[in-house]
Amino acid sequence: MRVGIAGVGWFGFQPEVVDYSFREMMFKAAQRAYEDAGGLDPRKDVDAFVSCQEDFWEGIAISDEFAPDPVGGAMKSVYTVAGDGLQCVGQAYMMIKSGLFDVVVVESHAKPSDIITLNDVMLFATDPISIRPLDIGNAHALAALEARAYMHKYGVTEEHLEAVVEKAHRAGAKNPRAVYASPGRSRSSSPVVADPLRDADIAKFVDAAVVVVLASDRVIRDYTDAPVWVDGAWWSTEISSLELHDWSFPVHAREAADGAYAQAKITDPAKEVGFAEVDNRYSFKELQHVEALRLAPVGAAKDLMADGAFCPGGRLPVNLSGGALAEGVPFEVHGLARLSYAVAVMRGDIKAQVDRREVAVIHSWRGVPTTTSVVVVLRT
Amino acid sequence: MRRVKYFPEVMEIEAYVYTAGPVGTKWLEALKAGKLMAAYCPKCGRLFLPPKMYCPYDFEEVKELREIAPVGVVESYTVIERDFNGEPLKEKRVLAFIKFPGVEGGLIHYVKADKPRIGMRVRPKWRDERRGLVTDIEYFEEA
Ligand SMILES: [Zn+2]
């Protein structure tokens, strides 16, 4: 039994989607995904829906109850997951593999522009006893602690971060939904926020919704002639206490990658993977995640980056989309943003500078203060 | 005519209390007494911070806290210059992750130093009036 992607749809990817509520954004993204899946009818053709969301992001309690109808799932099996959208892909993967479901729709949405006190909401995710009373004025400072630990240990310099930022903006300039892409953006002239992080190292937030239709190999040809297969999906949470997590390396991303590679029978990722879409909501995170995903030896991503290995047209392009630095961070939609871009590249809908489009690896991290990563392996 | 596009709402998030739990309560009481303690796992013998009732390494129940020497080492730090919205802070603040010899984990806290550095030895500056909070330590300073 193989699980494939039959359709994708997205809506928004604007700093502020003024005219539509998150429910309407879900509806719009779903409409597009169902069109992409050959005009699928969610009321007849879909066996179950999975929605990735968080109450605090939406300002609504028990927001699960809001999930079904905007995607056509009222009175059907709807599951909600408080996690990144790729975790929903993992759920759908298991449900279809079980043989009990043939078509499962995955959804995630985010409207950060609705949140007036976003820093407080982010800090609300920290430990109420050991961290919250510190009243940290900027949640990005927690990422800065990781950045310094990583850079100190592996000799990563600000010039290396500059290379990541420059690549993201140049690649993003070719991605129509990368609203923050600004080729020529200079990192060194952007202000220090929490050193070593400058403003240019930190991705902005963005409103977006993404819907993905997954189907079993038994029925997928009813919806698409060009399935992209999900051959691995794995996730890992390191620990709930930041103080006890590894400050210098994302162990959770390594764990998730190894799980997904084992499922997809990939033994040498740096050779077998054609391109990657990874979390780069902070510039240094792209280097870390490249290493965690075994696309470069630990500590070596900075040098390979400088050599252009991960640039568009390079040996193993990373974030042809520009990633979160160019598109923005749509909370739990982020993993689906990375995935939907990769699917478009693999199907040839987007003409990207990549030689090998047959195998892609997708990664998402839930941002500070989380230690959760998801990795998905795609094949054409 | 003004279009009604959105309307403001306030979430009731100030109406929460948190239960510190048996281990957390002991830890906070120690802070109030001006002492730094760590959780002790009877199975693996590790000391760890922040303390929890369960050992993160082997799931053993933790019942005991042990006092630790209040001299830590800066493992990582950042100088916060701007707030979340990008506005410059009136005063830069040094936030650090501090480890204590022989203790897993550690504490995230402020450090008062003009030139913070990794490996710097620091000790807590206790407040005179303590309430049983992690902020009973006002900041850490060079030891
Ligand atoms: Zn133990």
Side-chain angles (χ1 to χ4, degrees):
Chain A
M1 167 81 73
R2 223 171 168 193
V3 178
I5 293 167
V8 291
W10 58 267
F11 185 77
F13 287 93
Q14 292 294 322
E16 188 177 4
V17 174
V18 178
D19 291 309
Y20 296 98
S21 74
F22 74 82
R23 281 185 273 187
E24 291 151 344
M25 290 168 63
M26 292 165 72
F27 173 66
K28 292 279 209 183
Q31 268 187 328
R32 293 175 178 184
Y34 302 156
E35 270 310 297
D36 191 47
L40 162 151
D41 179 352
R43 306 301 295 151
K44 288 211 306 278
D45 303 327
V46 177
D47 300 316
F49 301 79
V50 194
S51 174
C52 271
Q53 47 174 296
E54 270 288 354
D55 285 11
F56 270 94
W57 292 145
E58 356 214 307
I60 287 174
I62 321 177
S63 57
D64 327 40
E65 292 286 316
F66 288 66
D69 39 301
V71 291
M75 291 178 286
K76 290 194 155 220
S77 295
V78 179
Y79 304 82
T80 50
V81 176
D84 181 86
L86 285 186
Q87 281 170 270
C88 279
V89 171
Q91 301 298 325
Y93 174 86
M94 293 191 291
M95 291 162 80
I96 294 170
K97 283 261 181 189
S98 76
L100 296 171
F101 304 83
D102 274 316
V103 180
V104 178
V105 165
V106 159
E107 180 276 337
S108 191
H109 54 271
K111 224 168 166 232
S113 69
D114 273 358
I115 304 176
I116 294 160
T117 54
L118 185 51
N119 193 57
D120 295 346
V121 173
M122 285 176 73
L123 291 174
F124 217 63
T126 58
D127 190 298
I129 297 175
S130 65
I131 303 181
R132 194 94 56 77
L134 296 173
D135 193 21
I136 300 168
N138 191 336
H140 297 312
L142 295 170
L145 293 178
E146 291 189 340
R148 175 160 273 118
Y150 171 68
M151 293 168 74
H152 180 78
K153 185 165 179 183
Y154 298 108
V156 177
T157 65
E158 302 220 10
E159 285 70 42
H160 294 124
L161 302 189
E162 172 92 51
V164 175
V165 171
E166 197 201 336
K167 176 175 79 68
H169 285 283
R170 244 191 298 125
K174 292 183 178 162
N175 170 3
R177 73 179 187 200
V179 285
Y180 295 111
S182 171
R185 167 121 206 232
S186 158
R187 177 188 180 276
S188 55
S189 61
S190 83
V192 173
V193 174
D195 82 323
L197 298 181
R198 290 174 178 270
D199 185 56
D201 293 310
I202 303 168
K204 307 283 182 280
F205 291 91
V206 73
D207 292 356
V210 174
V211 172
V212 179
V213 180
L214 292 108
S216 68
D217 53 7
R218 206 168 64 79
V219 305
I220 199 165
R221 302 283 170 184
D222 294 347
Y223 305 105
T224 182
D225 298 326
V228 171
W229 302 104
V230 178
D231 280 349
W234 203 268
W235 60 95
S236 172
T237 297
E238 191 178 341
I239 196 161
S240 66
S241 292
L242 267 186
E243 295 93 333
L244 281 153
H245 95 304
D246 188 331
W247 288 92
S248 62
F249 193 74
V251 177
H252 42 92
R254 168 58 63 87
E255 290 279 312
D258 285 352
Y261 288 144
Q263 286 174 315
K265 297 186 169 51
I266 286 178
T267 52
D268 190 350
K271 284 208 175 72
E272 294 172 59
V273 170
F275 71 100
E277 285 283 318
V278 307
D279 183 285
N280 71 359
R281 70 186 64 200
Y282 301 102
S283 57
F284 75 100
K285 282 283 161 189
E286 181 166 306
L287 299 174
Q288 280 191 330
H289 293 145
V290 160
E291 293 168 1
L293 268 55
R294 299 187 187 276
L295 305 177
V298 174
K302 61 181 196 299
D303 302 317
L304 290 165
M305 180 75 66
D307 290 345
F310 307 126
C311 286
R315 183 177 63 75
L316 200 169
V318 173
N319 288 333
L320 287 158
S321 63
L325 282 172
E327 278 191 358
V329 176
F331 295 155
E332 313 295 359
V333 184
H334 176 259
L336 297 183
R338 303 279 61 75
L339 177 123
S340 61
Y341 192 88
V343 166
V345 169
M346 295 173 94
R347 298 198 309 204
D349 301 345
I350 290 174
K351 301 277 175 266
Q353 287 171 268
V354 52
D355 295 335
R356 296 179 301 141
R357 296 189 284 127
E358 303 79 31
V359 183
V361 61
I362 317 298
H363 162 267
S364 191
W365 165 56
R366 296 185 72 201
V368 287
T370 82
T371 61
T372 296
S373 273
V374 199
V375 171
V376 166
V377 176
L378 300 179
R379 277 201 187 95
T380 50
Chain B
M1 202 179 77
R2 200 174 81 86
R3 290 173 65 197
V4 181
K5 279 192 176 169
Y6 33 64
F7 50 95
E9 230 189 359
V10 177
M11 285 177 84
E12 299 298 328
I13 58 170
E14 283 175 21
Y16 277 85
V17 293
Y18 286 97
T19 306
V23 167
T25 300
K26 278 186 201 163
W27 188 64
L28 294 174
E29 281 170 350
L31 288 177
K32 198 171 174 184
K35 282 192 271 184
L36 203 50
M37 301 187 95
Y40 173 73
C41 171
K43 189 171 179 182
C44 65
R46 286 185 177 97
L47 289 162
F48 63 93
L49 276 174
K52 294 280 183 292
M53 196 182 166
Y54 35 86
C55 174
Y57 301 96
D58 51 33
F59 195 59
E60 186 68 13
E61 186 165 336
V62 168
K63 297 189 174 115
E64 190 190 338
L65 292 175
R66 292 191 175 177
E67 190 168 354
I68 60 171
V71 179
V73 178
V74 170
E75 281 274 303
S76 188
Y77 69 90
T78 177
V79 185
I80 310 174
E81 297 196 19
R82 288 174 183 260
D83 70 13
F84 191 78
N85 300 316
E87 298 300 322
L89 297 180
K90 283 194 202 90
E91 208 182 342
K92 295 179 188 180
R93 295 193 86 176
V94 180
L95 188 75
F97 174 62
I98 299 158
K99 265 189 87 70
F100 300 87
V103 180
E104 307 292 334
L107 285 179
I108 295 169
H109 218 302
Y110 297 106
V111 168
K112 198 166 183 182
D114 292 334
K115 286 193 176 144
R117 59 186 192 279
I118 288 176
M120 181 177 178
R121 283 159 49 85
V122 291
R123 64 164 163 249
K125 161 80 170 64
W126 296 97
R127 287 182 199 275
D128 296 333
E129 215 169 290
R130 296 189 288 272
R131 299 194 293 146
L133 285 169
V134 72
T135 45
D136 285 348
I137 298 170
E138 195 178 347
Y139 50 77
F140 281 77
E141 58 193 356
E142 186 147 24

